[in-house]
Amino acid sequence: MTNLSLLLATLLLSFSILKSTCLCCPQYQKAALLEFKSLVLGDLADNSSADKMLGGLDTWNSSSDCCHWEMVRCFSRGSSKEVTGLNLSNLFPLDSNVTSDVLKPIFRIRSLMTLDLSYNSMKGEIPRTGFANLTKLVYLDLNNNNLNGSIPSQLFSLRYLEFLDLSTNAIGGKLSSSVAGLKNLEQLILNGNLIQGQIPAEIGNLTNLHKLLLLQNEFSGGIPLSLLQLRELETLDLRRNSLSGEIPNDIGILANMTTLALSNNALTGAIPQSIRDMIKLVTLRLDSNVLAGEIPTWLFDLHDMKSLFLGGNKLKWNNNVSIVPKCMLTELSLRSCSVRGPMPLWLSNQTELAFLDLSENELEGTYPQWLAEPNLGTVILSDNMLTGSLPPRLFESRNLSVLVLSRNNFSGELPETMGQSTSVMVLMLSSNNFSGHVPKSISNMYRLLVLDLSDNGFSGEFPSFGSNSLTACIDISSNRFSGEVPSAFGETTFMLSLSENNFSGQLPPNLSKLNLLKHLDLHDTNLTGEFPAFLSQMSSLQVLNLRNTALKGSITDGLSNLTSLRILDLSNNNFEGKIPSSFGNLAGMIDTPIISSRLPETLMFPIEIFNVSVEIQDLIVNWKNSKQRLSGKSLAIYSLLDLSNNQLSGEIPSSLGSLKGLKSLNLSYNELQGNIPSTFGTLEILEALDLSHNSLSGKIPQTFANLKQLTSLYLSNNKLSGRIPEGPQMDSQIDPIRLVCPEDVEPPPDSVPEEMEKEETGMFSWKATAIGYPVGFLYATAVMYVIGYFNSVPKSSVPWAKSSRNKKFWEL
Ligand SMILES: *[C@@H]1O[C@H](CO)[C@@H](O)[C@H](O)[C@H]1NC(C)=O
Ligand SMILES: *[C@@H]1O[C@H](CO)[C@@H](O)[C@H](O)[C@H]1NC(C)=O
Ligand SMILES: *[C@@H]1O[C@H](CO)[C@@H](O)[C@H](O)[C@H]1NC(C)=O
Ligand SMILES: *[C@@H]1O[C@H](CO)[C@@H](O)[C@H](O)[C@H]1NC(C)=O
Ligand SMILES: *[C@@H]1O[C@H](CO)[C@@H](O)[C@H](O)[C@H]1NC(C)=O
Ligand SMILES: *[C@@H]1O[C@H](CO)[C@@H](O)[C@H](O)[C@H]1NC(C)=O
Ligand SMILES: *[C@@H]1O[C@H](CO)[C@@H](O)[C@H](O)[C@H]1NC(C)=O
Ligand SMILES: *[C@@H]1O[C@H](CO)[C@@H](O)[C@H](O)[C@H]1NC(C)=O
Ligand SMILES: *[C@@H]1O[C@H](CO)[C@@H](O)[C@H](O)[C@H]1NC(C)=O
Ligand SMILES: *[C@@H]1O[C@H](CO)[C@@H](O)[C@H](O)[C@H]1NC(C)=O
Ligand SMILES: *[C@@H]1O[C@H](CO)[C@@H](O)[C@H](O)[C@H]1NC(C)=O
Ligand SMILES: *[C@@H]1O[C@H](CO)[C@@H](O)[C@H](O)[C@H]1NC(C)=O
């Protein structure tokens, strides 16, 4: 009894002692965190009220216990408390200039177990030194920053690390500063050093890793064999790098693996047999590599398999074998897997299928009834040989969100009731034989983001969408739509292609309500009236194509207000008057935008609606007389100005020489007079210049010798005189410029050799084609991107709080 009361007394005593001394975070840890805060604020241009904006940093003040600060977690052990967790995710503004140097003080908090710095657009390299201090680290998340260089080797000493996410950075890309001094790479190999860019073999030291996420970086080289030492690995995500070589043969030794994602690399060889041993596999993503061989049927014997992505390789699926899968797939991609014949029937038993991509195969037959099941959310069957009309049931589904059937031989009319399917976000039916009118009910599809009906036989008027619909990309070009030019689309529309239809009448001023519109294409439609003045107010426009629309009058001065305009085609119309000298102010044609090397697929028109990114893959332009596909990336670097085949008169404004971003300038077939401005000599990246068929006189400016990239120059049918200037490009034998112009002296008007004329029209028919755009501007790959957002197939960062293993550290 006495013993017990004694114990009680001591307990009470120690309790009161505990109460009287503050159980606070250690002073040095508080100091470290405050230093971190001031480093962050120091990196911000405007830091006056920044700490209030930066999610909770304002609670970090010296007079309070740092364990009570936001984003800080502590753990009390006995009579002491320590900082064990920092969740600094999404702390800085997107455009902030915060560098990784701000992390320095954090390396003094040796008790840290979890560190989340994701979504901070932090620049610079991951600090070389410091991580060795954080020996207790279990969870490290640096995903979505701008970090570059290599993974610091100190990181590989963190033996308790279970979760490592370095996704969406630029790690591995260039030589890190520490090795950049070395003269050549061979030296590095000889020294046995790792070559920057590879995933370091030391990764094999982190034997407790459960999740390793390195997706979307710039790693190259092979998958290190040392990865096979990470036996606890459950998730390995190396997507979107530049990895090459074969998948390690013995990868199946990682028996706990549930998600293996290696998509979008350059991996070769066959699918390793050993994957059969990964009996817990749920997600296997090997798509968009260079894998070859027959797709093994045992993949469908893995019971837990849900997501199987094999498309975009050189793999082949033998559609003759009928399999009885032991798994119930929710997602399957066999894109471009040489699948022949009718739709594989065994798929009809995969009743949980929500995503199916069988595009770019040789499928025949009609759209099967069983594929109109209400579960399916995404069906991509583009680039096959499918025929017949669509089953009406297809649009009864409340789950259908993506339907891509482009480039098949489907025919018939769209079901009148298609609008029932209000879940549809992407509908692409381009290049089929669909006909009839587009049902009015389509406007009930209020979630519709991408609509591509181009290159079919649709006719009648095009239905109106409400202004609050979510349309983003609309392409209805190359059909037989008639009536007024439709303008009722969602205010979020940024791409509108109505070209090659029978629309007529004036351009509706309502179009100017689409103030996010970046791309407007109306070529080959029958517009009446003068140049629509309201276009000058559509300040987002980057591409404006009004080729061959029968517009007349003068070109308005106000167009120069469109500072984003990069591609302007007003050719083949009846415009008259002068070329506005204010065109020299078209800012979008002055700069050549620097394309970030970080996002090789950066495209011209990214849009974010509800976290959805829609991107345009390809635009086809007639470029130096051949149709060329500009990827979205190169598109952004191309600036084109085409005013050819009008009745423009007066002198060419010398201000056009300011448009230094121009790749192509075409003013041919007009009535322009006077000299060629010598300022054209400053258009240094110009590749094609056509001034032919005007009344230009005087000499060819000697400054043309500066046009080092010029490969096509057309000056014929003018009154020019003098010598062709000499310059490096002008003399070049290797890549001779195609020069069609008077030789030395002005030829009498009639004496132009017939041959030359013929040759000209033959090889460079600006007149007929000018700069043309897209047939099918959206590609299924673009859609894949959209899907990535909606279906969130393996998320790049798995919220660790969901994993019970990690949870214990955070909730302490
Ligand atoms: C704000 O930035 C200036 C210089 O950039 C620096 O001197 C000042 O200490 C910063 N203020 C805070 C609160 O960090
Ligand atoms: C410091 O922060 C605490 C909350 O963490 C707050 O209650 C206190 O008022 C703050 N003190 C000062 C001086 O800002
Ligand atoms: C980043 O730096 C640039 C140029 O120094 C500055 O204009 C910009 O405001 C800075 N961004 C932030 C968020 O401080
Ligand atoms: C590691 O922690 C110690 C204190 O424990 C500190 O002095 C040192 O600066 C830290 N190292 C780095 C690189 O931050
Ligand atoms: C990797 O582990 C080995 C043996 O455990 C050790 O000697 C080596 O220092 C570790 N490498 C790194 C970078 O920590
Ligand atoms: C990392 O990026 C910074 C700019 O953010 C640059 O100065 C540095 O050279 C880059 N380092 C490497 C290794 O690419
Ligand atoms: C795999 O997971 C099981 C259960 O989740 C666990 O007991 C085992 O230690 C893990 N590691 C290996 C190598 O199997
Ligand atoms: C599939 O069967 C057809 C005819 O039955 C045959 O011609 C073809 O070679 C077979 N393909 C394969 C890959 O076995
Ligand atoms: C679908 O499954 C049923 C029984 O589960 C089976 O009888 C039938 O043959 C299967 N159909 C196909 C096409 O595999
Ligand atoms: C163009 O439209 C006008 C009137 O709107 C009409 O008279 C003319 O026939 C149309 N031309 C063509 C080729 O459709
Ligand atoms: C173009 O911009 C100028 C000044 O920004 C403005 O005065 C003018 O009205 C604009 N023109 C048109 C047609 O919008
Ligand atoms: C950090 O907080 C964000 C929300 O702000 C959350 O999504 C994320 O899962 C947290 N990280 C950790 C490691 O708990």
Side-chain angles (χ1 to χ4, degrees):
M1 240 343 191
T2 46
N3 272 355
L4 192 66
S5 56
L6 195 65
L7 189 68
L8 236 138
T10 8
L11 267 176
L12 272 174
L13 189 67
S14 53
F15 186 62
S16 56
I17 288 169
L18 270 179
K19 260 195 111 174
S20 63
T21 62
C22 173
L23 187 54
C24 296
C25 76
Q27 196 57 40
Y28 80 95
Q29 298 196 339
K30 184 198 259 185
L33 290 175
L34 287 173
E35 190 182 330
F36 168 79
K37 173 177 169 174
S38 76
L39 285 176
V40 168
L41 294 185
D43 271 356
L44 299 178
D46 172 19
N47 61 9
S48 49
S49 61
D51 62 340
K52 297 227 162 37
M53 281 150 36
L54 301 186
L57 265 194
D58 56 332
T59 63
W60 293 27
N61 65 39
S62 53
S63 55
S64 55
D65 176 4
C66 77
C67 290
H68 292 139
W69 295 350
E70 277 183 38
M71 305 175 286
V72 181
R73 288 292 177 281
C74 291
F75 174 58
S76 36
R77 192 179 280 116
S79 59
S80 68
K81 232 174 171 185
E82 283 177 329
V83 174
T84 54
L86 285 177
N87 187 349
L88 306 170
S89 173
N90 210 353
L91 186 60
F92 321 134
L94 256 182
D95 60 342
S96 72
N97 301 316
V98 177
T99 68
S100 58
D101 288 341
V102 301
L103 300 180
K104 278 194 180 123
I106 289 183
F107 296 128
R108 303 208 299 266
I109 309 178
R110 290 167 162 268
S111 51
L112 267 187
M113 290 166 132
T114 67
L115 180 56
D116 188 344
L117 287 159
S118 56
Y119 297 94
N120 275 320
S121 60
M122 222 177 345
K123 294 186 175 70
E125 296 186 36
I126 306 178
R128 305 284 98 188
T129 58
F131 277 106
N133 264 5
L134 307 182
T135 53
K136 296 180 177 164
L137 213 58
V138 173
Y139 181 103
L140 177 61
D141 193 348
L142 292 170
N143 112 67
N144 268 284
N145 281 288
N146 285 322
L147 299 167
N148 60 8
S150 59
I151 307 180
S153 74
Q154 287 203 349
L155 230 152
F156 304 118
S157 65
L158 305 177
R159 56 202 190 93
Y160 297 116
L161 208 59
E162 291 183 16
F163 179 101
L164 177 60
D165 189 350
L166 305 179
S167 305
T168 317
N169 281 290
I171 303 168
K174 292 173 205 144
L175 289 182
S176 81
S177 51
S178 49
V179 289
L182 289 169
K183 290 253 157 49
N184 59 47
L185 294 175
E186 279 159 52
Q187 197 178 346
L188 286 172
I189 302 168
L190 290 176
N191 292 348
N193 282 319
L194 67 108
I195 293 186
Q196 238 296 301
Q198 289 186 336
I199 299 175
E202 287 108 312
I203 198 92
N205 268 24
L206 303 174
T207 51
N208 280 312
L209 271 187
H210 287 239
K211 291 192 163 71
L212 176 60
L213 304 146
L214 302 178
L215 84 127
Q216 200 147 322
N217 276 292
E218 296 173 10
F219 290 111
S220 54
I223 298 176
L225 286 176
S226 60
L227 269 182
L228 305 186
Q229 292 161 28
L230 310 181
R231 298 294 163 85
E232 305 287 333
L233 219 49
E234 291 159 11
T235 299
L236 176 63
D237 194 341
L238 307 178
R239 286 177 296 158
R240 295 177 192 272
N241 281 288
S242 306
L243 298 170
S244 54
E246 304 195 354
I247 303 173
N249 250 328
D250 297 330
I251 195 153
I253 207 168
L254 304 174
N256 269 0
M257 192 79 83
T258 55
T259 298
L260 177 60
L262 306 174
S263 325
N264 298 84
N265 281 293
L267 298 169
T268 51
I271 299 177
Q273 280 280 332
S274 70
I275 288 184
R276 276 183 108 143
D277 303 330
M278 292 182 168
I279 52 169
K280 297 183 184 172
L281 211 52
V282 175
T283 299
L284 179 63
R285 303 200 56 151
L286 304 176
D287 49 304
S288 300
N289 277 292
V290 207
L291 300 172
E294 196 140 300
I295 296 170
T297 52
W298 49 254
L299 280 173
F300 298 87
D301 294 337
L302 293 165
H303 278 95
D304 292 342
M305 187 75 84
K306 294 270 178 229
S307 300
L308 188 54
F309 286 80
L310 304 173
N313 282 290
K314 291 176 173 171
L315 293 166
K316 285 188 166 37
W317 175 253
N318 183 352
N319 203 15
N320 285 4
V321 294
S322 185
I323 57 166
V324 183
K326 297 205 174 86
C327 52
M328 263 302 174
L329 295 175
T330 56
E331 302 177 302
L332 175 66
S333 160
L334 293 177
R335 170 171 64 91
S336 183
C337 288
S338 306
V339 188
R340 288 214 172 106
M343 200 73 72
L345 195 57
W346 56 267
L347 274 177
S348 63
N349 269 359
Q350 292 288 314
T351 50
E352 286 173 19
L353 211 54
F355 173 102
L356 179 65
D357 182 358
L358 293 175
S359 58
E360 296 170 42
N361 282 301
E362 291 161 53
L363 292 169
E364 293 165 18
T366 57
Y367 194 106
Q369 286 293 335
W370 54 260
L371 199 51
E373 284 306 316
N375 279 348
L376 273 159
T378 297
V379 181
I380 304 177
L381 298 174
S382 45
D383 297 283
N384 277 291
M385 302 177 300
L386 297 164
T387 51
S389 55
L390 300 183
R393 261 194 81 189
L394 182 58
F395 292 104
E396 282 167 24
S397 164
R398 295 287 150 119
N399 289 319
L400 190 67
S401 57
V402 176
L403 182 66
V404 182
L405 305 177
S406 304
R407 293 171 298 278
N408 275 288
N409 292 321
F410 286 115
S411 56
E413 302 193 3
L414 296 180
E416 214 55 54
T417 54
M418 67 187 294
Q420 286 175 6
S421 197
T422 51
S423 49
V424 175
M425 292 188 266
V426 175
L427 180 60
M428 296 170 78
L429 306 177
S430 170
S431 300
N432 280 289
N433 297 319
F434 289 112
S435 57
H437 70 282
V438 173
K440 279 215 161 59
S441 70
I442 197 173
S443 57
N444 296 340
M445 296 180 163
Y446 65 94
R447 289 197 179 93
L448 198 61
L449 287 168
V450 177
L451 177 66
D452 184 0
L453 301 179
S454 62
D455 195 17
N456 276 291
F458 289 115
S459 56
E461 298 205 354
F462 188 77
S464 309
F465 283 85
S467 62
N468 53 355
S469 77
L470 297 175
T471 51
C473 295
I474 306 275
D475 186 354
I476 58 170
S477 61
S478 302
N479 279 291
R480 293 195 291 273
F481 287 115
S482 55
E484 286 181 17
V485 175
S487 60
F489 298 100
E491 279 167 10
T492 46
T493 306
F494 71 93
M495 178 168 215
L496 194 52
S497 184
L498 308 174
S499 60
E500 296 181 50
N501 275 296
N502 299 332
F503 293 125
S504 58
Q506 301 222 328
L507 203 56
N510 265 349
L511 276 178
S512 64
K513 288 186 182 157
L514 308 180
N515 50 26
L516 299 178
L517 205 60
K518 293 182 176 181
H519 179 129
L520 179 60
D521 189 353
L522 283 155
H523 81 261
D524 291 281
T525 51
N526 182 16
L527 303 178
T528 48
E530 308 228 326
F531 192 91
F534 67 82
L535 286 176
S536 317
Q537 284 145 33
M538 301 183 68
S539 55
S540 304
L541 277 183
Q542 296 181 2
V543 174
L544 176 60
N545 189 351
L546 296 174
R547 169 161 44 93
N548 202 20
T549 49
L551 286 169
K552 54 179 195 253
S554 57
I555 298 174
T556 75
D557 220 23
L559 260 195
S560 59
N561 278 11
L562 303 182
T563 52
S564 305
L565 207 58
R566 311 192 57 73
I567 295 183
L568 176 62
D569 186 348
L570 303 178
S571 65
N572 291 56
N573 286 300
N574 301 313
F575 291 124
E576 52 194 22
K578 290 186 172 181
I579 299 175
S581 65
S582 60
F583 270 23
N585 303 329
L586 284 164
M589 300 188 186
I590 293 176
D591 309 319
T592 316
I594 315 287
I595 303 295
S596 150
S597 65
R598 205 186 132 214
L599 293 167
E601 283 152 272
T602 300
L603 295 155
M604 196 182 182
F605 309 111
I607 184 173
E608 303 257 337
I609 303 174
F610 298 140
N611 239 358
V612 180
S613 198
V614 178
E615 295 184 339
I616 287 150
Q617 281 310 95
D618 285 302
L619 200 59
I620 294 163
V621 298
N622 280 318
W623 177 242
K624 288 183 283 186
N625 202 33
S626 67
K627 276 205 170 168
Q628 295 199 15
R629 183 162 283 180
L630 300 185
S631 74
K633 183 186 167 190
S634 49
L635 183 67
I637 343 181
Y638 279 71
S639 262
L640 315 173
L641 177 59
D642 191 346
L643 306 176
S644 65
N645 207 30
N646 281 291
Q647 288 118 46
L648 297 169
S649 55
E651 298 200 1
I652 301 176
S654 63
S655 60
L656 292 190
S658 317
L659 304 179
K660 294 195 170 51
L662 279 184
K663 279 283 183 188
S664 170
L665 174 60
N666 189 355
L667 305 176
S668 64
Y669 292 91
N670 277 295
E671 291 152 20
L672 299 167
Q673 295 158 356
N675 297 332
I676 299 175
S678 61
T679 52
F680 278 15
T682 59
L683 299 174
E684 283 179 2
I685 64 167
L686 199 68
E687 287 179 28
L689 176 62
D690 191 348
L691 304 176
S692 66
H693 295 269
N694 278 294
S695 304
L696 298 170
S697 53
K699 291 182 175 167
I700 301 171
Q702 292 303 305
T703 52
F704 272 31
N706 298 334
L707 303 180
K708 305 218 166 59
Q709 298 195 16
L710 198 66
T711 54
S712 303
L713 176 63
Y714 296 86
L715 300 175
S716 68
N717 289 75
N718 279 296
K719 297 171 192 156
L720 296 166
S721 62
R723 292 192 149 273
I724 297 160
E726 286 169 19
Q729 182 61 21
M730 303 283 167
D731 297 335
S732 166
Q733 293 303 308
I734 306 148
D735 185 14
I737 63 165
R738 213 176 261 172
L739 202 53
V740 181
C741 66
E743 291 299 330
D744 281 341
V745 263
E746 174 191 336
D750 300 337
S751 76
V752 177
E754 224 175 277
E755 252 174 60
M756 193 186 253
E757 269 294 82
K758 231 191 242 158
E759 190 192 12
E760 185 195 7
T761 37
M763 68 186 183
F764 200 77
S765 49
W766 284 106
K767 190 180 175 195
T769 46
I771 304 163
Y773 321 86
V775 219
F777 61 81
L778 294 160
Y779 282 78
T781 35
V783 177
M784 294 298 294
Y785 206 85
V786 181
I787 294 153
Y789 276 84
F790 284 113
N791 292 8
S792 309
V793 254
K795 274 245 171 93
S796 63
S797 75
V798 182
W800 73 298
K802 280 188 184 156
S803 143
S804 55
R805 183 178 300 276
N806 290 313
K807 201 170 175 180
K808 63 176 181 251
F809 296 105
W810 195 246
E811 291 196 335
L812 284 170

